[in-house]
Amino acid sequence: SQQGEEDPQALSIQEGENATMNCSYKTSINNLQWYRQNSGRGLVHLILIRSNEREKHSGRLRVTLDTSKKSSSLLITASRAADTASYFCATDALLENNDMRFGAGTRLTVKP
Amino acid sequence: NAGVTQTPKFQVLKTGQSMTLQCAQDMNHEYMSWYRQDPGMGLRLIHYSVGAGITDQGEVPNGYNVSRSTTEDFPLRLLSAAPSQTSVYFCASSPGGQWTLHFGNGTRLTVT
């Protein structure tokens, strides 16, 4: 079964606006990661946040993690048309280090 | 540096045929894995390997075999293709321990 579930399933915004995507998961984790997938391509790693971290930044990306609520959010600031892609969260369960589980993803469309 | 290379990019099989999806990485990664991606389902782990000579089952292993005779290669074999195996297949690798996955560009398989 899927570990992570992203919300919303689809998001459409104008260029320059911020985009927020959420991920909820079911079991205790070691790390949570966000990946991006452009149409027809493989996934590309964006950012990793460890279970003892609460917030992490990378360029225009900001990720938060709330282990008490088993949830994470990805914020993309000042979005660009090139940010149009699907975004996935992935978790590795605390006692199952070799099993990376992905959610179904959020499809982000940024209109120019 | 090619990263993770998957071949073929596209494949059409008839029900009952067998085939091997190839995956090679040139980053000397110990960990390799196969996922399938279906619409609305995210990525589901089929099989993974933590090093040469070691393989293990993921979430959806039935109908697939793997082997890991070298660090570089991790082929996925479909023994008797079924329409339910129509999907996009992704191979990924990781140095291990960090769990940041590097993905290939996928193989789109259609079983008729």
Side-chain angles (χ1 to χ4, degrees):
Chain A
S1 63
Q2 291 174 235
Q3 164 74 311
E5 293 185 8
E6 289 90 346
D7 172 60
Q9 291 185 342
L11 180 61
S12 182
I13 60 175
Q14 294 294 133
E15 210 166 25
E17 293 180 339
N18 294 342
T20 299
M21 289 159 269
N22 303 298
C23 170
S24 59
Y25 56 92
K26 297 173 184 174
T27 64
S28 296
I29 60 171
N30 292 309
N31 308 301
L32 185 142
Q33 301 181 44
W34 285 91
Y35 288 79
R36 164 196 168 121
Q37 183 181 35
N38 288 86
S39 182
R41 304 298 295 263
L43 280 71
V44 175
H45 178 258
L46 294 175
I47 197 164
L48 179 152
I49 187 166
R50 302 193 186 283
S51 60
N52 61 355
E53 296 176 313
R54 292 296 168 259
E55 187 171 312
K56 206 160 183 180
H57 296 256
S58 177
R60 294 184 296 113
L61 305 180
R62 173 178 170 256
V63 169
T64 61
L65 179 64
D66 187 336
T67 53
S68 67
K69 295 181 179 177
K70 292 187 171 58
S71 68
S72 173
S73 67
L74 170 67
L75 168 67
I76 303 174
T77 60
S79 63
R80 305 165 183 167
D83 294 328
T84 294
S86 292
Y87 292 82
F88 296 86
C89 69
T91 55
D92 56 324
L94 187 60
L95 298 178
E96 300 173 25
N97 285 341
N98 298 320
D99 193 346
M100 185 77 71
R101 299 288 181 100
F102 285 80
T106 292
R107 175 68 190 170
L108 174 65
T109 301
V110 181
K111 300 175 185 176
Chain B
N1 191 340
V4 179
T5 302
Q6 289 184 239
T7 56
K9 287 185 170 56
F10 302 93
Q11 183 69 50
V12 179
L13 292 177
K14 294 188 189 304
T15 297
Q17 288 183 318
S18 62
M19 80 157 294
T20 299
L21 279 64
Q22 301 292 344
C23 176
Q25 53 92 7
D26 61 0
M27 297 172 283
N28 202 32
H29 286 171
E30 290 296 322
Y31 181 90
M32 296 185 74
S33 55
W34 278 101
Y35 289 87
R36 59 177 289 172
Q37 184 176 31
D38 301 295
M41 297 290 291
L43 279 78
R44 291 182 292 168
L45 182 65
I46 305 171
H47 285 285
Y48 64 93
S49 168
V50 297
I54 306 168
T55 64
D56 208 342
Q57 297 181 349
E59 185 184 357
V60 288
N62 292 340
Y64 307 95
N65 272 2
V66 291
S67 60
R68 185 93 180 270
S69 56
T70 67
T71 299
E72 294 78 21
D73 300 300
F74 191 43
L76 178 72
R77 279 181 284 276
L78 280 70
L79 307 174
S80 178
S84 61
Q85 293 178 305
T86 293
S87 187
V88 182
Y89 291 84
F90 288 99
C91 178
S93 72
S94 166
Q98 298 175 31
W99 305 115
T100 298
L101 292 171
H102 299 252
F103 282 84
N105 282 327
T107 294
R108 185 174 295 273
L109 175 68
T110 301
V111 183
T112 61

